[in-house]
Amino acid sequence: MNMRKKILFSAGALAVALAPAVGFAMPAAAGAEVSPTAVSGSAPERVVRGETSNTEFIYDDADYLDANQEARLTNIAKAVWQTSGHRIIYISTTDPAMEDDPDAWLDDYAKAHNISLDSVILVAGGVNYTTTDGQTSDAISDADWEQLLKKSKTAADTHTKRADSFFMTFADYLNKHPLERAGSPAAASQPTNQTPPLEESETPEASEEPADSADLPLTEFGDIIKFPYGEQFPYVGGQSDVKSAAPFIRDHSEVFSKSKIAGWEKQMTALADKYGIAPYIVTVDDFRYQTPQKWGANYYNVNQLGLGEKDASGVLMVINPSSRDLWFLGHGAGEQAFTVYGIEKLYDHVKQPLGDDHWDDGVDVYLTQVADYLEQWKAGTPYSASHPLPHPITLESTTAGVAGAAALGGGAGTLVMRRIRKKHDTAHLQWGAIYYVVPGSDQITGSNDVFVNEYITHVARPKSSGSSGHHGGSFRSGGTSFSSGGGKF
């Protein structure tokens, strides 16, 4: 028998019950009614329906969601269903009968709308009711169920934010626990992504409408790195501690030396622990027709990077070895520590080793700079136009200094030698050529020049230290803001 998991809490106590100070629990003091996570065996078993032809996931009868959010959540739910076989259902209602007996109300509603209860369901209304049943319930352990509920309510002080957080939390979990039964999309033999691959010369037309289906496969890191063209994913917060925020290096392109990653992770963990701002590096070979800036923001939001369930403070460096794009994003306190000015200078430093395909050196430069930036921020003087970075000592600057010193020294020496020679030179020019011609001497009627050696000097053209290829500024995506900047390398 499938054991039902459920939870019920009052909407009136939503803001209190979700406050960070109480860890987003459902305390009785807040007036919230909490039902057991698993119904005893004597409880009436809900009828579990099989797969139906109904592919609706959003039933917003109370009109809590706007059209864009509804389309976005539908897109996520379709992708989860195609990838894992699980359904994520959202229902909103103003029917007071739901408050009296949520189980009976939901059973009747599901029958009337042909909803498969082999799913996880959020019902929003006078009270908020979350439940899962059938094989989806079997796929979620009791311990995970409690954690998922807690995580899905992060920063969810409104119905719309709660819906976003609910979908993203369960999408991540259910994609990792697909159903394996006949009839589910995840078990079908045909590939889940039915869109034929684009030729290299093709570029999809931009559209403000979400794609009909999304391809959200998880990587070995548990990350989502592929996003539908033109889509923005909602910001739902970050991680509660440094351990949960790791790993900080996610080398999907496999360009870094594996032997060095553990050492870098240790450094980045120490930085995150000391400053409360998590530094990340991600490599990826395909932005799927999105800009580096939009891809980076989607990656940050959907994978819930950053420290702090509310602020998600961090800095992200994105490297695309294929397109030669290098991009940086600062979020939360990271937006203050890594200003638009600071990111421009950071880009100038890191792009130099990456431009020569010295990937490991690029990480070393990044970590050195990040440590300096964070210390400056902690001291209350983050790098900005009014507090610029000091000029670093480089080969170019050292060569220029030596050349300048040589030029000044040479000029002074020449003046001194001229004065000495003039003092000791007693010979004087005579007026008239007669004084220089010896009577009866031979006349010169021709001459030849013979070159016995040839010398060619090569002078290297200095690299430009400017940042004309840099682009950046403040940027908003998914309902949150970033400091942003980068360019080619």
Side-chain angles (χ1 to χ4, degrees), residues 93-102 105 125-127:
T93 180
T94 57
D95 186 352
M98 197 274 285
E99 302 178 34
D100 298 331
D101 190 346
W105 184 92
V127 297

Side-chain angles (χ1 to χ4, degrees), residues 287-462:
F287 290 142
R288 295 172 66 89
Y289 299 103
Q290 292 194 347
T291 65
Q293 179 175 248
K294 182 177 289 186
W295 186 94
N298 274 338
Y299 182 87
Y300 200 98
N301 288 342
V302 78
N303 293 299
Q304 294 184 260
L305 302 189
L307 274 174
E309 294 180 345
K310 181 178 180 182
D311 297 329
S313 297
V315 58
L316 171 65
M317 176 169 72
V318 179
I319 302 171
N320 187 324
S322 299
S323 63
R324 313 294 288 184
D325 284 299
L326 172 64
W327 209 265
F328 301 87
L329 294 166
H331 188 271
E335 192 175 1
Q336 303 166 17
F338 296 85
T339 63
V340 174
Y341 166 88
I343 284 179
E344 178 181 352
K345 301 304 178 185
L346 183 59
Y347 163 74
D348 288 341
H349 282 91
V350 179
K351 75 174 181 178
Q352 295 182 23
L354 295 186
D356 296 325
D357 290 348
H358 295 161
W359 311 109
D360 292 353
D361 291 345
V363 175
D364 289 333
V365 171
Y366 173 74
L367 293 182
T368 300
Q369 293 296 316
V370 165
D372 180 35
Y373 276 54
L374 291 176
E375 188 60 32
Q376 290 290 326
W377 167 76
K378 185 178 180 181
T381 54
Y383 287 127
S384 63
S386 59
H387 179 61
L389 273 78
H391 284 290
I393 297 176
T394 63
L395 176 62
E396 289 83 358
S397 64
T398 302
T399 303
V402 170
L408 290 175
T414 301
L415 291 175
V416 172
M417 291 303 297
R418 282 182 178 177
R419 293 186 64 183
I420 293 174
R421 187 179 67 179
K422 185 175 181 180
K423 182 177 180 180
H424 291 86
D425 191 359
T426 58
H428 299 283
L429 294 174
Q430 300 292 331
W431 297 102
I434 189 173
Y435 292 100
Y436 302 100
V437 179
V438 178
S441 63
D442 296 334
Q443 295 182 355
I444 299 174
T445 58
S447 65
N448 290 299
D449 292 328
V450 179
F451 294 94
V452 295
N453 289 297
E454 179 180 355
Y455 300 93
I456 300 176
T457 302
H458 295 275
V459 179
R461 180 180 296 174

